[in-house]
Amino acid sequence: MLLVIEQILNGLQLGITLFLMSAGLTLVFGIMQVINLAHGSFYMIGAYVGATVAARTGSFLLGVAAALAGAAIAGMIVEVIVLRRLYRREHLDQVLATFGLILFFNELTRIVWGRQPLMMDVPAWLGGSVELLPGLPYPVYRLAVIAVGIAVALGLWLLFSRIRLGMQIRAGASNREMIAALGVNIRPLYTLVFGLGTLLAGLAGVMAGPILAVESGMGESILILTFVVIVIGGIGSVRGAVVGALLVGLVDTLGRAFLPVLLRLFLASAAADSIAASIASMAIYILMAAILVWRPRGLFPAHSS
């Protein structure tokens, strides 16, 4: 039972990281109708900038602040220079342009930081473990990641349901012409939305830095999981991003942890491990297919957010 609880917490931590990624991406698509394949690049930028500043200053918090600023500024520059020209273009043009950005940012990180991965240390004040239950120590840093994700989810809810700026952004997503007729300049709002989305990606990157190696191309693998989360939760829905991310995190983590154990009850150890690894790698896609059969638009379509 303690092992099950530990793996559930690991699944929650992965789900929170995926939520930080998917929340930004679903905001951009739901509000701006832009397919941004380069979203993982801002995750990578956040990790690189955070690791570099933390190593130079010795302060993890300064690293986090620099990662947020770096990812947000890079995102707003990309929105102004590239994406503004793509709003009224077909999605294929957006896919090709943002795929080009992936290649550009991957090469840029290799030029600036080199090809060797960077390591980011867990700060001393978040090091160690806390005993959640007798016999169940759990890393403090992973609990901090979960707490940050919960705080971000609450912040986004407040922004879009209680704050005037968030209501204007939602109105602009529903009817651009009407919000413009009311005197609201939609262009700066779109820049802010894209900056917010890339800021969240940068936050995910810097929070994952002490857990994973910081290296060029690290955004592509998590981007695939992020798209799965968005499809499951409902495109453009922040609430769907929360639920979808937690589902994907738990299914992926629990599948990899316990499928080999279950299959060993019926098969030889070598065969069980091989089959379990294959099934576990497909589990989230099977989950996505099952949900789409039941709810073709995802669990929480944007119109019900």
Coordinates of all heavy atoms in Angstrom, one line a residue, residues 183-261:
G183 N -13.8 48.7 -28.1 CA -12.7 49.6 -27.9 C -11.5 48.9 -27.2 O -10.5 49.5 -26.8
V184 N -11.5 47.5 -27.2 CA -10.4 46.8 -26.6 C -9.4 46.4 -27.8 O -9.9 45.8 -28.8 CB -10.9 45.5 -25.9 CG1 -9.7 44.7 -25.4 CG2 -11.8 45.9 -24.8
N185 N -8.2 46.7 -27.6 CA -7.2 46.4 -28.6 C -6.8 44.9 -28.4 O -6.1 44.6 -27.4 CB -5.9 47.3 -28.5 CG -5.0 47.1 -29.6 OD1 -5.1 46.2 -30.4 ND2 -4.0 48.0 -29.7
I186 N -7.1 44.1 -29.3 CA -7.0 42.6 -29.1 C -5.5 42.2 -29.3 O -5.1 41.2 -28.8 CB -7.9 41.9 -30.1 CG1 -8.1 40.4 -29.6 CG2 -7.3 41.9 -31.5 CD1 -8.8 40.3 -28.4
R187 N -4.7 43.0 -30.1 CA -3.3 42.5 -30.3 C -2.5 42.4 -29.1 O -1.8 41.4 -28.8 CB -2.7 43.5 -31.3 CG -3.1 43.2 -32.8 CD -2.2 43.9 -33.7 NE -2.4 43.4 -35.1 CZ -1.7 43.8 -36.1 NH1 -0.6 44.6 -35.9 NH2 -1.9 43.3 -37.3
P188 N -2.5 43.5 -28.2 CA -1.7 43.3 -27.0 C -2.2 42.2 -26.1 O -1.5 41.5 -25.4 CB -1.9 44.7 -26.3 CG -2.3 45.6 -27.3 CD -3.0 44.8 -28.3
L189 N -3.6 41.9 -26.1 CA -4.1 40.8 -25.3 C -3.5 39.5 -25.8 O -3.2 38.6 -25.1 CB -5.6 40.8 -25.4 CG -6.4 41.9 -24.6 CD1 -7.9 41.7 -24.8 CD2 -6.0 41.8 -23.1
Y190 N -3.5 39.4 -27.2 CA -2.9 38.1 -27.7 C -1.4 37.9 -27.3 O -1.0 36.8 -27.1 CB -3.1 38.1 -29.2 CG -4.4 37.7 -29.7 CD1 -5.5 37.5 -28.8 CD2 -4.7 37.5 -31.1 CE1 -6.7 37.1 -29.3 CE2 -5.9 37.0 -31.5 CZ -7.0 36.9 -30.6 OH -8.2 36.5 -31.0
T191 N -0.7 39.1 -27.4 CA 0.7 39.0 -27.0 C 0.8 38.6 -25.5 O 1.7 37.7 -25.2 CB 1.4 40.3 -27.2 OG1 1.2 40.7 -28.5 CG2 2.9 40.3 -26.8
L192 N 0.0 39.1 -24.7 CA 0.0 38.7 -23.2 C -0.4 37.3 -23.1 O 0.2 36.6 -22.2 CB -1.0 39.6 -22.4 CG -0.5 41.0 -22.2 CD1 -1.7 41.8 -21.5 CD2 0.7 41.1 -21.3
V193 N -1.4 36.8 -23.8 CA -1.8 35.4 -23.7 C -0.7 34.5 -24.1 O -0.4 33.5 -23.4 CB -3.1 35.1 -24.6 CG1 -3.3 33.6 -24.7 CG2 -4.3 35.8 -24.0
F194 N 0.0 34.8 -25.2 CA 1.1 33.9 -25.7 C 2.2 34.0 -24.7 O 2.9 33.0 -24.4 CB 1.5 34.4 -27.0 CG 2.3 33.3 -27.7 CD1 1.7 32.3 -28.4 CD2 3.7 33.3 -27.8 CE1 2.4 31.3 -29.0 CE2 4.5 32.3 -28.4 CZ 3.8 31.3 -29.0
G195 N 2.5 35.2 -24.1 CA 3.5 35.3 -23.1 C 3.2 34.5 -21.9 O 4.1 33.9 -21.3
L196 N 1.9 34.5 -21.5 CA 1.5 33.7 -20.3 C 1.7 32.2 -20.6 O 2.1 31.5 -19.7 CB 0.1 34.0 -20.0 CG -0.6 33.2 -18.8 CD1 0.2 33.4 -17.5 CD2 -2.0 33.6 -18.7
G197 N 1.3 31.8 -21.8 CA 1.4 30.4 -22.1 C 2.9 29.9 -22.1 O 3.2 28.9 -21.6
T198 N 3.8 30.8 -22.7 CA 5.2 30.4 -22.7 C 5.8 30.5 -21.3 O 6.7 29.8 -20.9 CB 6.0 31.2 -23.7 OG1 5.8 32.6 -23.4 CG2 5.5 30.9 -25.1
L199 N 5.3 31.4 -20.5 CA 5.8 31.5 -19.1 C 5.5 30.2 -18.3 O 6.3 29.7 -17.6 CB 5.1 32.7 -18.4 CG 5.5 33.0 -16.9 CD1 5.4 34.5 -16.6 CD2 4.5 32.3 -16.0
L200 N 4.3 29.7 -18.5 CA 3.9 28.4 -17.9 C 4.8 27.3 -18.4 O 5.2 26.4 -17.6 CB 2.4 28.1 -18.1 CG 1.4 29.1 -17.4 CD1 0.0 28.7 -17.8 CD2 1.6 29.0 -15.9
A201 N 5.1 27.3 -19.7 CA 6.0 26.3 -20.2 C 7.4 26.4 -19.6 O 8.0 25.4 -19.2 CB 6.1 26.4 -21.7
G202 N 7.9 27.7 -19.4 CA 9.2 27.9 -18.8 C 9.2 27.4 -17.3 O 10.2 26.9 -16.8
L203 N 8.0 27.7 -16.6 CA 7.9 27.2 -15.3 C 8.0 25.7 -15.2 O 8.7 25.1 -14.3 CB 6.6 27.7 -14.7 CG 6.3 27.2 -13.2 CD1 7.4 27.7 -12.2 CD2 4.9 27.7 -12.8
A204 N 7.3 25.0 -16.1 CA 7.4 23.5 -16.1 C 8.8 23.1 -16.4 O 9.3 22.1 -15.8 CB 6.5 23.0 -17.2
G205 N 9.5 23.8 -17.3 CA 10.9 23.4 -17.6 C 11.8 23.6 -16.4 O 12.6 22.7 -16.1
V206 N 11.8 24.7 -15.7 CA 12.7 24.9 -14.6 C 12.3 24.1 -13.4 O 13.2 23.6 -12.7 CB 12.7 26.4 -14.2 CG1 11.4 26.8 -13.5 CG2 13.9 26.8 -13.3
M207 N 11.1 23.7 -13.2 CA 10.7 22.8 -12.2 C 11.1 21.4 -12.5 O 11.4 20.6 -11.6 CB 9.2 22.8 -11.9 CG 8.6 24.2 -11.4 SD 9.4 24.7 -9.8 CE 8.6 23.6 -8.7
A208 N 11.2 21.0 -13.7 CA 11.6 19.7 -14.1 C 13.2 19.6 -14.2 O 13.7 18.5 -14.2 CB 11.1 19.3 -15.5
G209 N 13.9 20.7 -14.2 CA 15.3 20.7 -14.3 C 16.0 19.9 -13.3 O 16.9 19.1 -13.6
P210 N 15.7 20.0 -12.0 CA 16.4 19.1 -11.0 C 16.0 17.7 -11.1 O 16.7 16.8 -10.4 CB 15.9 19.7 -9.6 CG 15.5 21.1 -10.0 CD 14.9 21.0 -11.3
I211 N 15.0 17.3 -11.8 CA 14.5 15.9 -11.9 C 15.1 15.3 -13.2 O 15.5 14.1 -13.2 CB 13.0 15.8 -11.9 CG1 12.5 16.4 -10.6 CG2 12.5 14.4 -12.1 CD1 10.9 16.6 -10.5
L212 N 15.1 16.0 -14.3 CA 15.6 15.5 -15.6 C 16.8 16.3 -16.0 O 17.2 17.3 -15.5 CB 14.5 15.7 -16.6 CG 13.1 15.2 -16.3 CD1 12.1 15.6 -17.4 CD2 13.1 13.7 -16.2
A213 N 17.5 15.7 -17.0 CA 18.7 16.4 -17.5 C 18.2 17.5 -18.4 O 17.2 17.4 -19.2 CB 19.6 15.4 -18.3
V214 N 18.9 18.7 -18.4 CA 18.5 19.8 -19.2 C 19.4 19.7 -20.5 O 20.6 19.8 -20.5 CB 18.8 21.1 -18.5 CG1 18.5 22.3 -19.4 CG2 18.0 21.2 -17.2
E215 N 18.7 19.4 -21.6 CA 19.4 19.2 -22.9 C 18.6 19.7 -24.1 O 17.4 19.9 -24.0 CB 19.8 17.7 -23.0 CG 18.5 16.8 -23.0 CD 18.9 15.3 -23.0 OE1 20.1 15.0 -23.3 OE2 18.0 14.5 -22.7
S216 N 19.3 19.9 -25.2 CA 18.7 20.4 -26.4 C 17.7 19.3 -26.9 O 18.0 18.1 -26.9 CB 19.7 20.6 -27.5 OG 19.1 21.0 -28.7
G217 N 16.5 19.7 -27.3 CA 15.5 18.8 -27.8 C 14.6 18.2 -26.7 O 13.8 17.4 -27.0
M218 N 14.8 18.6 -25.4 CA 14.1 18.0 -24.3 C 12.6 18.4 -24.4 O 11.8 17.7 -23.8 CB 14.6 18.5 -23.0 CG 14.5 20.0 -22.7 SD 15.3 20.6 -21.2 CE 14.2 19.8 -19.9
G219 N 12.2 19.4 -25.2 CA 10.8 19.8 -25.2 C 10.0 18.9 -26.1 O 8.7 18.9 -26.0
E220 N 10.6 18.1 -27.0 CA 9.8 17.4 -28.0 C 9.0 16.2 -27.3 O 7.9 15.9 -27.6 CB 10.7 16.8 -29.1 CG 10.9 17.8 -30.2 CD 12.0 18.8 -29.9 OE1 11.7 19.8 -29.2 OE2 13.2 18.6 -30.3
S221 N 9.7 15.5 -26.4 CA 9.1 14.3 -25.8 C 7.9 14.7 -24.9 O 6.9 14.1 -25.0 CB 10.1 13.5 -25.0 OG 10.7 14.4 -24.0
I222 N 8.1 15.8 -24.2 CA 6.9 16.2 -23.3 C 5.8 16.9 -24.1 O 4.7 16.9 -23.7 CB 7.4 17.2 -22.2 CG1 6.4 17.2 -21.1 CG2 7.8 18.5 -22.7 CD1 6.9 17.9 -19.8
L223 N 6.2 17.4 -25.3 CA 5.1 18.0 -26.2 C 4.1 17.0 -26.6 O 2.9 17.3 -26.7 CB 5.8 18.7 -27.4 CG 4.8 19.5 -28.3 CD1 4.2 20.7 -27.6 CD2 5.6 19.9 -29.5
I224 N 4.6 15.8 -26.9 CA 3.7 14.7 -27.4 C 2.7 14.4 -26.2 O 1.5 14.3 -26.5 CB 4.5 13.5 -27.8 CG1 5.4 13.8 -29.0 CG2 3.5 12.3 -28.0 CD1 6.3 12.7 -29.3
L225 N 3.2 14.3 -25.0 CA 2.3 14.0 -23.9 C 1.3 15.2 -23.7 O 0.2 15.0 -23.3 CB 3.1 13.8 -22.6 CG 4.0 12.5 -22.6 CD1 4.8 12.4 -21.3 CD2 3.1 11.3 -22.7
T226 N 1.8 16.4 -23.9 CA 1.0 17.6 -23.7 C -0.2 17.6 -24.7 O -1.3 17.9 -24.3 CB 1.9 18.9 -23.9 OG1 2.9 18.8 -23.0 CG2 1.0 20.1 -23.7
F227 N 0.1 17.2 -25.9 CA -1.0 17.2 -26.9 C -2.0 16.1 -26.5 O -3.2 16.3 -26.7 CB -0.5 16.9 -28.3 CG 0.0 18.1 -29.0 CD1 1.3 18.4 -29.4 CD2 -1.0 19.1 -29.4 CE1 1.7 19.5 -30.0 CE2 -0.6 20.3 -30.0 CZ 0.8 20.5 -30.3
V228 N -1.5 15.0 -26.0 CA -2.5 13.9 -25.5 C -3.3 14.5 -24.4 O -4.6 14.3 -24.4 CB -1.7 12.7 -25.0 CG1 -2.6 11.7 -24.3 CG2 -0.9 12.0 -26.2
V229 N -2.8 15.2 -23.5 CA -3.5 15.8 -22.4 C -4.6 16.8 -22.9 O -5.7 16.7 -22.5 CB -2.6 16.6 -21.4 CG1 -3.4 17.5 -20.5 CG2 -1.7 15.7 -20.7
I230 N -4.2 17.6 -23.9 CA -5.2 18.6 -24.4 C -6.3 17.9 -25.2 O -7.5 18.3 -25.0 CB -4.5 19.5 -25.4 CG1 -3.5 20.4 -24.6 CG2 -5.5 20.4 -26.2 CD1 -2.6 21.3 -25.4
V231 N -6.0 16.8 -25.9 CA -7.1 16.1 -26.6 C -8.0 15.4 -25.6 O -9.2 15.4 -25.8 CB -6.5 15.1 -27.6 CG1 -7.5 14.2 -28.1 CG2 -5.7 15.8 -28.7
I232 N -7.5 14.8 -24.6 CA -8.3 14.2 -23.5 C -9.2 15.2 -22.8 O -10.4 15.0 -22.6 CB -7.4 13.4 -22.6 CG1 -6.8 12.1 -23.2 CG2 -8.2 13.0 -21.3 CD1 -5.8 11.4 -22.3
G233 N -8.6 16.3 -22.4 CA -9.3 17.3 -21.6 C -10.3 18.1 -22.4 O -11.3 18.6 -21.8
G234 N -10.0 18.3 -23.7 CA -10.8 19.2 -24.5 C -10.0 20.4 -24.9 O -9.5 21.1 -24.1
I235 N -9.9 20.6 -26.2 CA -9.1 21.7 -26.7 C -9.6 23.0 -26.3 O -10.8 23.3 -26.5 CB -9.0 21.6 -28.3 CG1 -8.3 20.3 -28.7 CG2 -8.2 22.8 -28.9 CD1 -8.3 20.0 -30.2
G236 N -8.7 23.8 -25.7 CA -9.1 25.2 -25.3 C -9.6 25.2 -23.9 O -10.0 26.3 -23.4
S237 N -9.7 24.1 -23.1 CA -10.3 24.1 -21.8 C -9.2 24.0 -20.7 O -8.5 23.0 -20.7 CB -11.2 22.9 -21.7 OG -11.6 22.7 -20.3
V238 N -9.1 25.0 -19.9 CA -8.1 24.9 -18.8 C -8.5 23.8 -17.8 O -7.7 23.0 -17.3 CB -7.9 26.2 -18.1 CG1 -7.0 26.1 -16.9 CG2 -7.4 27.3 -19.1
R239 N -9.8 23.7 -17.5 CA -10.3 22.7 -16.6 C -10.0 21.3 -17.2 O -9.6 20.4 -16.4 CB -11.8 22.8 -16.4 CG -12.4 21.8 -15.5 CD -13.8 22.0 -15.2 NE -14.6 22.2 -16.4 CZ -16.0 22.4 -16.3 NH1 -16.6 22.3 -15.2 NH2 -16.6 22.5 -17.5
G240 N -10.2 21.2 -18.5 CA -9.8 19.9 -19.1 C -8.3 19.6 -19.0 O -8.0 18.4 -18.9
A241 N -7.5 20.6 -19.1 CA -6.1 20.4 -19.0 C -5.7 19.9 -17.6 O -4.8 19.0 -17.5 CB -5.3 21.8 -19.3
V242 N -6.4 20.4 -16.6 CA -6.1 19.9 -15.2 C -6.4 18.4 -15.1 O -5.6 17.6 -14.7 CB -6.9 20.7 -14.2 CG1 -6.7 20.1 -12.8 CG2 -6.5 22.1 -14.2
V243 N -7.7 18.0 -15.5 CA -8.1 16.7 -15.4 C -7.3 15.7 -16.3 O -6.9 14.6 -15.9 CB -9.6 16.6 -15.7 CG1 -10.1 15.1 -15.7 CG2 -10.4 17.4 -14.7
G244 N -7.1 16.2 -17.6 CA -6.4 15.4 -18.5 C -4.9 15.1 -18.1 O -4.4 14.0 -18.2
A245 N -4.3 16.2 -17.5 CA -2.9 16.0 -17.1 C -2.8 15.0 -15.9 O -1.9 14.2 -15.9 CB -2.3 17.4 -16.7
L246 N -3.7 15.1 -15.0 CA -3.7 14.2 -13.9 C -4.0 12.8 -14.3 O -3.3 11.8 -13.8 CB -4.7 14.6 -12.8 CG -4.4 16.0 -12.1 CD1 -5.5 16.3 -11.1 CD2 -3.0 15.9 -11.4
L247 N -4.9 12.6 -15.2 CA -5.2 11.2 -15.7 C -4.0 10.7 -16.5 O -3.6 9.5 -16.2 CB -6.4 11.3 -16.7 CG -7.8 11.3 -16.1 CD1 -8.8 11.5 -17.2 CD2 -8.1 10.1 -15.3
V248 N -3.4 11.4 -17.3 CA -2.2 10.9 -18.1 C -1.0 10.6 -17.1 O -0.4 9.6 -17.2 CB -1.8 12.0 -19.1 CG1 -0.4 11.6 -19.8 CG2 -2.8 12.0 -20.2
G249 N -0.8 11.5 -16.2 CA 0.3 11.3 -15.2 C 0.1 10.0 -14.4 O 1.1 9.3 -14.2
L250 N -1.1 9.8 -13.9 CA -1.4 8.7 -13.1 C -1.3 7.4 -13.9 O -0.7 6.4 -13.5 CB -2.7 8.8 -12.4 CG -2.8 9.8 -11.3 CD1 -4.2 10.1 -10.9 CD2 -1.9 9.4 -10.1
V251 N -2.0 7.4 -15.1 CA -2.0 6.2 -15.9 C -0.6 5.8 -16.4 O -0.2 4.6 -16.3 CB -2.9 6.4 -17.2 CG1 -2.7 5.3 -18.2 CG2 -4.3 6.5 -16.7
D252 N 0.2 6.8 -16.8 CA 1.6 6.5 -17.2 C 2.4 5.9 -16.1 O 3.1 4.9 -16.2 CB 2.2 7.7 -17.8 CG 3.6 7.5 -18.4 OD1 3.6 6.8 -19.5 OD2 4.6 7.9 -17.8
T253 N 2.4 6.6 -14.9 CA 3.2 6.2 -13.8 C 2.8 4.9 -13.2 O 3.7 4.0 -13.0 CB 3.2 7.3 -12.7 OG1 3.6 8.5 -13.3 CG2 4.1 6.9 -11.5
L254 N 1.5 4.7 -13.0 CA 1.1 3.5 -12.4 C 1.2 2.3 -13.3 O 1.5 1.2 -12.9 CB -0.4 3.6 -12.0 CG -0.7 4.6 -10.8 CD1 -2.2 4.7 -10.5 CD2 0.1 4.3 -9.6
G255 N 1.0 2.5 -14.6 CA 1.2 1.5 -15.6 C 2.7 1.0 -15.6 O 2.9 -0.2 -15.6
R256 N 3.6 1.9 -15.6 CA 5.0 1.5 -15.7 C 5.4 0.8 -14.4 O 6.3 0.0 -14.3 CB 5.9 2.7 -15.9 CG 5.7 3.3 -17.3 CD 6.6 4.5 -17.6 NE 6.2 5.2 -18.8 CZ 6.6 4.8 -20.0 NH1 7.3 3.8 -20.2 NH2 6.2 5.5 -21.1
A257 N 4.8 1.2 -13.3 CA 5.2 0.7 -12.0 C 4.6 -0.7 -11.7 O 5.3 -1.6 -11.1 CB 4.8 1.6 -10.8
F258 N 3.4 -0.9 -12.1 CA 2.6 -2.1 -11.6 C 2.3 -3.1 -12.6 O 2.0 -4.3 -12.3 CB 1.4 -1.7 -10.8 CG 1.7 -0.9 -9.6 CD1 1.3 0.4 -9.5 CD2 2.4 -1.5 -8.5 CE1 1.6 1.1 -8.3 CE2 2.7 -0.8 -7.4 CZ 2.3 0.6 -7.3
L259 N 2.3 -2.8 -13.9 CA 2.0 -3.7 -14.9 C 3.0 -4.9 -14.9 O 2.5 -6.1 -15.0 CB 2.0 -3.1 -16.3 CG 0.6 -2.5 -16.8 CD1 0.8 -1.8 -18.1 CD2 -0.4 -3.6 -16.9
P260 N 4.3 -4.7 -14.8 CA 5.2 -5.9 -14.7 C 4.8 -6.8 -13.5 O 4.9 -8.0 -13.7 CB 6.6 -5.2 -14.5 CG 6.4 -3.9 -15.1 CD 5.0 -3.4 -14.8
V261 N 4.5 -6.2 -12.4 CA 4.1 -7.0 -11.2 C 2.9 -7.9 -11.5 O 2.8 -9.1 -11.2 CB 3.9 -6.1 -10.0 CG1 3.5 -7.0 -8.8 CG2 5.1 -5.3 -9.7

